[in-house]
Each structure stands twice: as structure tokens, then as C-alpha cells.
Amino acid sequence: MGLFSGMIGNASQRDNDKVERQLEDILIPDEQVNLAFVLVRDLIVFTDYRLILVDKQGVTGKKTSYKSLPYRSISRFTVETSGHLDLDAELKIWISSAAEPAEVLQFNSDHNVVEIQQALAEAVLR
């Protein structure tokens, strides 16, 4: 599964300028952050060209994994909202013609997953 697989948390919107400064070594010239969410200590970042998933690893979070998914490579995605017994919401993202999702993101709130799904739909379907 993906790097956020199994992580449950609430996503909250993050300041774009702050995220751009944090990702200055990752972004290409003139690439701008359009929308960013923090999920525990990880980031979900929408730029002009791609979705960047930032995974802070280890106890200190010093080791960091950056996963770039160009919007043109995302072939489909699904959203599963929470129910009465299943309390978490889930967003799955597939790349090209892969049978298994490249990423599985889990959230405590339907509001969080719906907001991120709307941003993903806008980026992928434009």
C-alpha cells in the first residue's frame, strides 16, 4: 500500500507560502503550491503540476520521503465515507493501469476526505 496506509488522522489546511518554503528543494522553478493539508505530521500538497505526498519518518521526523504523482498519471480515485460502525473515511488513488491503489489515505472525518477529494478532482480533471 501507500506511504500513508494505515495512518488515521484529521487533515487540516496549511499555509501555501509556508509549504513552498518547506519544499523549496523539491519544487521546480515557477512551480507553486495551490493547496496543502497536514495529516498528523505528514503533508498532502497540490501544486500546479503534481500531487506531492510528504511522509515524515521515524521518531524525530528527520528522515522524509517525498512521493510525486503527476496529475496526468492519476487514472482514478475513490472516496469511501465513514459509516455507523466504520468510523474512518478513505481516499484511494490509482496510477495509470495499476490493479492496486498507489496510495490509501485514511481520515477521521468525512469533511477532510471530501475536501481533499474535491481538490484532487479539480487537479486531475482540468
Coordinates of all heavy atoms in Angstrom, one line a residue, residues 3 12 14 17 28 33 43-44 59 74 81 88 101:
L3 N 2.3 5.2 1.2 CA 3.1 5.6 2.4 C 2.2 6.1 3.5 O 2.7 6.1 4.7 CB 4.1 6.6 2.0 CG 3.7 8.0 1.5 CD1 4.3 9.1 2.4 CD2 4.2 8.2 0.1
S12 N -5.8 19.1 8.0 CA -6.2 20.5 8.2 C -5.3 21.3 7.1 O -4.2 20.9 6.8 CB -5.9 21.0 9.6 OG -4.6 20.9 9.9
R14 N -3.1 23.9 5.3 CA -1.8 24.5 5.7 C -1.5 25.7 4.8 O -2.0 25.8 3.7 CB -0.7 23.5 5.4 CG 0.6 23.8 5.9 CD 0.7 23.7 7.4 NE 2.0 23.6 7.9 CZ 2.5 23.0 8.9 NH1 1.7 22.3 9.6 NH2 3.8 23.1 9.2
D17 N 2.4 29.5 1.4 CA 3.7 30.1 1.4 C 4.7 29.3 2.3 O 5.8 29.1 2.0 CB 3.6 31.5 1.8 CG 2.9 32.4 0.8 OD1 2.9 32.0 -0.5 OD2 2.3 33.4 1.1
I28 N 10.1 22.5 -8.6 CA 10.8 23.0 -9.8 C 10.6 24.5 -9.9 O 9.7 25.1 -9.3 CB 10.4 22.3 -11.1 CG1 8.9 22.5 -11.4 CG2 10.7 20.8 -11.0 CD1 8.5 21.9 -12.8
V33 N 2.6 26.0 -4.9 CA 1.7 25.2 -4.1 C 0.3 25.9 -4.2 O 0.2 27.1 -3.9 CB 2.2 25.2 -2.7 CG1 1.1 24.5 -1.8 CG2 3.5 24.4 -2.6
L43 N 2.4 15.7 4.9 CA 1.7 16.7 4.1 C 1.1 16.1 2.8 O 1.7 15.1 2.3 CB 2.7 17.7 3.7 CG 3.3 18.7 4.7 CD1 4.4 19.5 4.1 CD2 2.2 19.6 5.2
I44 N 0.0 16.6 2.4 CA -0.6 16.3 1.1 C -0.6 17.7 0.4 O -1.2 18.6 0.8 CB -2.0 15.8 1.3 CG1 -2.0 14.6 2.1 CG2 -2.6 15.6 -0.1 CD1 -3.4 14.2 2.6
V59 N 11.1 8.7 14.7 CA 10.6 9.4 15.9 C 10.8 10.9 15.8 O 9.9 11.6 16.2 CB 11.4 8.8 17.2 CG1 11.0 9.6 18.4 CG2 11.2 7.4 17.4
I74 N -2.5 10.0 -12.7 CA -3.6 9.5 -11.9 C -4.7 9.1 -12.7 O -5.3 9.9 -13.4 CB -4.0 10.6 -10.8 CG1 -2.8 10.9 -9.9 CG2 -5.2 10.1 -10.0 CD1 -3.0 12.1 -9.0
T81 N -16.7 7.2 2.5 CA -17.0 8.0 3.7 C -17.3 7.1 4.8 O -17.5 5.9 4.7 CB -18.3 8.9 3.4 OG1 -19.4 8.1 3.1 CG2 -18.0 9.9 2.3
D88 N -13.9 5.5 10.0 CA -12.9 6.3 9.3 C -13.3 6.4 7.8 O -14.0 5.6 7.3 CB -11.5 5.7 9.4 CG -11.4 4.3 8.8 OD1 -12.4 3.6 8.9 OD2 -10.3 3.9 8.3
P101 N -4.3 0.3 -5.7 CA -4.1 1.7 -5.5 C -2.6 2.0 -5.1 O -2.0 1.3 -4.4 CB -5.0 2.1 -4.4 CG -5.5 0.8 -3.8 CD -5.2 -0.3 -4.7

